[in-house]
Amino acid sequence: MTPFSYQRPERIDQAIALHGPDSRYIAGGTNLLDLMKENVLQPGQLIDINGLPLREIEQTAEGGLRIGALVSNADLAWHPQIEQRYPLLSKAILAGASPQLRNMASTGGNLLQRTRCYYFYDTATPCNKREPGSGCSARDGRNRIHAILGASEHCVAVHPSDMCVALAALDARVHVEGPHGKRRLELVDFHRLPGDQPQQDNVLVEGELITAIELPVEGFASHCAYLKVRDRASYAFALVSVAAALEMDGDVIRRARIALGGVAHKPWRIEEAEDQLSGKRAEAGCFAAAAERLLQGAQPLADNAFKIDLVHRAIVRALTEAAGGTV
Amino acid sequence: MSEHSSAAGQTCTISLELNGERRELQVQPWTTLLDLLRDQLGLTGTKKGCDHGQCGACTVLLDGRRINSCLTLAVMHDGASLTTIEGLASAEALHPLQAAFVKHDAFQCGYCTPGQICSAAGLAAENRASSRDEIREHMSGNLCRCGAYPNILAAIEDALPALRGQEGAQ
Ligand SMILES: Cc1cc2nc3c(=O)[nH]c(=O)nc-3n(C[C@H](O)[C@H](O)[C@H](O)COP(=O)(O)OP(=O)(O)OC[C@H]3O[C@@H](n4cnc5c(N)ncnc54)[C@H](O)[C@@H]3O)c2cc1C
Ligand code: SF4
Ligand code: FES
Ligand code: FES
């Protein structure tokens, strides 16, 4: 690692004031230090945010939950309120990484983890995300793990988080605070598509700090499923994943939420695909139709055409499981 | 702002309770917890496999919870309590997990073993896994290149009941 200075502020305003162009916040460190060891990132200053008061999980005025950005992935997945009211979130978190990593990784850091594209990690190869303008090695290179939806000629990377897929399905919001004050963003608008600025994973501006994630009242607790398909049974990133959440009236669907992971630069949601399920009897036919709508415009690369069939089947299976009741 | 902030290149002083003993330590900001243990303190029981969070060989217990010591900075843990494989046994007896690993021959080369044992101690404290499948899933953060998995699983399964009652499972 390249030497850097280290600060540990105790107040949010101090942390933001310390942040300059060459700074990085550090929370769990599980993604940042990994990238610093590879020289993908070489910040001159680390601002350790673990002293900030962002570890609470509290009820919101509307009856949802507000989760502090420093709550660890393990504590969040096993929090009684999350297990009971938002089991989809619990399941998605527990499908990711390892117990050791989940003890370290923070809620805010999970949102901001970078892609696992091999070329992004390999400083010997061109990569527009790491070095804007240098080119994309994955487009015509090895791209088995890459995007089938929403990619651009400049970048075909996917966002690797499991937690964010569940948060997208649950209509979560992100609270941020920065040099220009506080903002509240919808999680689905937080990450961006690569377009011609793949170096920008999300809409945060310099110095902005994630302070909390907010969950609305509805947690789809009785009918949800998280299905993750990967190269080994555990401790691997998703090839594709599906967060499915249904509100049921007998065997009729009242409301549906579907978010996909491993297919795009952000968790993938298409409201039309969800709306077309309302009022339908839960069965494979309408689930397949929803899958088709979600995958409209999908464009495979040389190595990843398999993802289209794989995620189609995964959507149908996750919806079928959700309709049968949360297990 | 706390005292252990530093300018570039400066060392910081941290205080760690290491295997039950309070230590004042000088660290550079970029020293990982793993490198502090192995290179600075000579506690080489904790192993470096991948240095990237992918193998679990560097697992230690930080304030009783299992973490990968390769992906965290020592300077971030002022005031924490740390248990490594060297600190698990008491003066008189092996830790129940160590005894179970010996009994079940749960290793070949032994390189992954300290991480496996610390991880299993963390698993016991979490109290979320009891069936074989659950133990397998909750131990997936520890790889074994020798493939000693069946015996590792048997050892943990054997030691778990004894650990479950024990406070902090250490
Ligand atoms: C081997 C391995 C396997 C993994 N497998 C999975 C998996 O299967 N599924 C999955 O979802 N994830 C997986 N992960 C990724 C893991 O979930 C992330 O590394 C973790 O969530 C990042 O959180 P952190 O707190 O450690 O972030 P850090 O490394 O501390 O920070 C990451 C980034 O976020 C910034 N940051 C952190 N907190 C804030 C904040 N509050 N406000 C503003 N900026 C902030 C930092 O500046 C940095 O740029 C894996 C990681 C490893 C190493
Ligand atoms: S896909 Fe994106 S991250 Fe990967 S090489 Fe291309 S530009 Fe870089
Ligand atoms: S050395 Fe830390 S996980 Fe491999
Ligand atoms: S015993 Fe050799 S790596 Fe596990």
Side-chain angles (χ1 to χ4, degrees):
Chain A
M1 270 185 276
T2 313
F4 50 82
S5 70
Y6 170 86
Q7 258 91 28
R8 186 177 165 111
E10 269 141 30
R11 295 200 326 260
I12 293 172
D13 61 331
Q14 286 176 331
I16 294 168
L18 280 171
H19 201 287
D22 199 22
S23 317
R24 291 275 168 172
Y25 295 125
I26 183 164
T30 61
N31 190 230
L32 183 59
L33 294 175
D34 190 20
L35 291 166
M36 286 170 65
K37 288 181 184 188
E38 297 284 6
N39 289 327
V40 173
L41 297 173
Q42 295 175 297
Q45 178 193 35
L46 286 196
I47 303 168
D48 181 353
I49 60 174
N50 286 291
L52 306 183
L54 299 172
R55 285 182 201 278
E56 301 297 315
I57 299 183
E58 316 158 309
Q59 196 98 8
T60 61
E62 306 99 88
L65 286 184
R66 187 186 158 102
I67 302 155
L70 290 171
V71 173
S72 75
N73 289 180
D75 285 345
L76 183 56
W78 286 336
H79 191 276
Q81 289 273 321
I82 301 293
E83 285 193 305
Q84 284 156 31
R85 297 178 55 195
Y86 307 94
L88 180 62
L89 181 55
S90 252
K91 288 170 190 299
I93 294 170
L94 295 175
S98 69
Q100 290 95 315
L101 288 162
R102 295 193 295 265
N103 277 339
M104 310 166 78
S106 68
T107 303
N110 194 309
L111 258 66
L112 295 174
Q113 61 174 299
R114 312 298 305 272
T115 186
R116 306 305 284 204
C117 171
Y118 343 103
Y119 305 104
F120 176 69
Y121 265 80
D122 178 359
T123 54
T125 59
C127 166
N128 286 325
K129 188 181 279 298
R130 178 169 30 78
E131 210 183 312
S134 61
C136 172
S137 300
R139 253 212 100 80
D140 299 311
R142 297 274 167 217
N143 47 37
R144 180 171 174 272
I145 63 171
H146 291 74
I148 52 172
L149 287 159
S152 74
E153 61 178 293
H154 305 286
C155 179
V156 292
V158 301
H159 193 261
S161 167
D162 291 292
M163 185 182 92
C164 291
V165 182
L167 289 176
L170 291 169
D171 285 324
R173 297 190 184 112
V174 188
H175 291 256
V176 306
E177 194 169 332
H180 311 294
K182 297 182 183 180
R183 305 198 275 160
R184 190 179 80 170
L185 303 153
E186 299 295 326
L187 185 114
V188 286
D189 300 327
F190 181 80
H191 298 102
R192 23 180 329 279
L193 291 178
D196 58 5
Q197 288 197 302
Q199 70 276 20
Q200 204 78 42
D201 291 351
N202 53 59
V203 300
L204 284 189
V205 301
E206 189 193 301
E208 270 186 321
L209 183 77
I210 298 179
T211 52
I213 301 293
E214 184 189 326
L215 295 173
V217 184
E218 176 59 70
F220 298 92
S222 48
H223 292 278
C224 68
Y226 188 74
L227 180 60
K228 176 173 179 178
V229 187
R230 43 189 153 170
D231 283 326
R232 60 182 183 200
S234 184
Y235 200 14
F237 285 93
L239 286 168
V240 303
S241 72
V242 182
L246 299 171
E247 198 185 310
M248 303 288 296
D249 188 355
D251 61 354
V252 174
I253 299 164
R254 241 190 273 152
R255 269 201 298 173
R257 295 279 182 276
I258 312 162
L260 309 180
V263 297
H265 203 253
K266 60 184 287 188
W268 195 256
R269 256 188 80 176
I270 301 285
E271 281 184 31
E272 264 177 64
E274 300 168 2
D275 292 344
Q276 73 187 45
L277 286 172
S278 301
K280 298 258 167 57
R281 262 199 46 228
E283 45 77 35
C286 68
F287 294 157
E292 251 128 63
R293 179 62 194 88
L294 272 154
L295 294 172
Q296 218 172 70
Q299 284 198 334
L301 301 159
D303 301 334
N304 73 0
F306 74 95
K307 277 195 181 185
I308 296 184
D309 284 343
L310 187 62
V311 73
H312 191 288
R313 291 178 194 141
I315 294 165
V316 174
R317 188 169 135 198
L319 284 166
T320 308
E321 281 177 14
T326 305
V327 282
Chain B
M1 205 84 51
S2 61
E3 293 155 21
H4 42 281
S5 295
S6 86
Q10 274 179 359
T11 57
C12 316
T13 307
I14 60 165
S15 155
L16 267 189
E17 191 190 309
L18 183 55
N19 295 328
E21 193 188 327
R22 178 64 54 196
R23 308 271 298 257
E24 298 278 313
L25 302 164
Q26 298 288 320
V27 296
Q28 289 178 311
W30 47 88
T31 303
T32 62
L33 195 53
L34 177 59
D35 288 344
L36 169 71
L37 290 171
R38 289 183 57 85
D39 299 347
Q40 222 169 304
L41 302 176
L43 288 171
T44 53
T46 308
K47 301 300 184 219
K48 184 184 280 194
C50 65
D51 214 19
H52 288 280
Q54 298 175 0
C55 74
C58 65
T59 305
V60 296
L61 297 161
L62 185 76
D63 296 323
R65 295 162 64 119
R66 48 178 166 165
I67 63 158
N68 303 109
S69 59
C70 69
L71 282 188
T72 192
L73 300 171
V75 69
M76 293 164 72
H77 300 292
D78 186 37
S81 138
L82 188 69
T83 305
T84 67
I85 190 70
E86 290 90 346
L88 271 186
S90 66
E92 309 85 50
L94 290 179
H95 183 277
L97 278 163
Q98 292 173 314
F101 268 62
V102 173
K103 176 177 156 198
H104 290 271
D105 194 19
F107 34 68
Q108 284 183 39
C109 76
Y111 197 80
C112 71
T113 312
Q116 300 278 2
I117 290 177
C118 286
S119 187
L123 174 149
E126 289 158 11
N127 203 12
R128 289 278 174 165
S130 33
S131 73
R132 302 198 110 207
D133 277 351
E134 284 165 349
I135 298 172
R136 251 189 220 110
E137 168 62 26
H138 288 254
M139 286 299 295
S140 71
N142 293 82
L143 305 190
C144 173
R145 290 308 297 268
C146 301
Y149 296 111
N151 294 3
I152 294 173
L153 183 61
I156 296 171
E157 204 184 11
D158 195 4
L160 264 190
L163 291 168
R164 201 156 285 140
Q166 229 170 292
E167 211 186 340
Q170 284 171 39

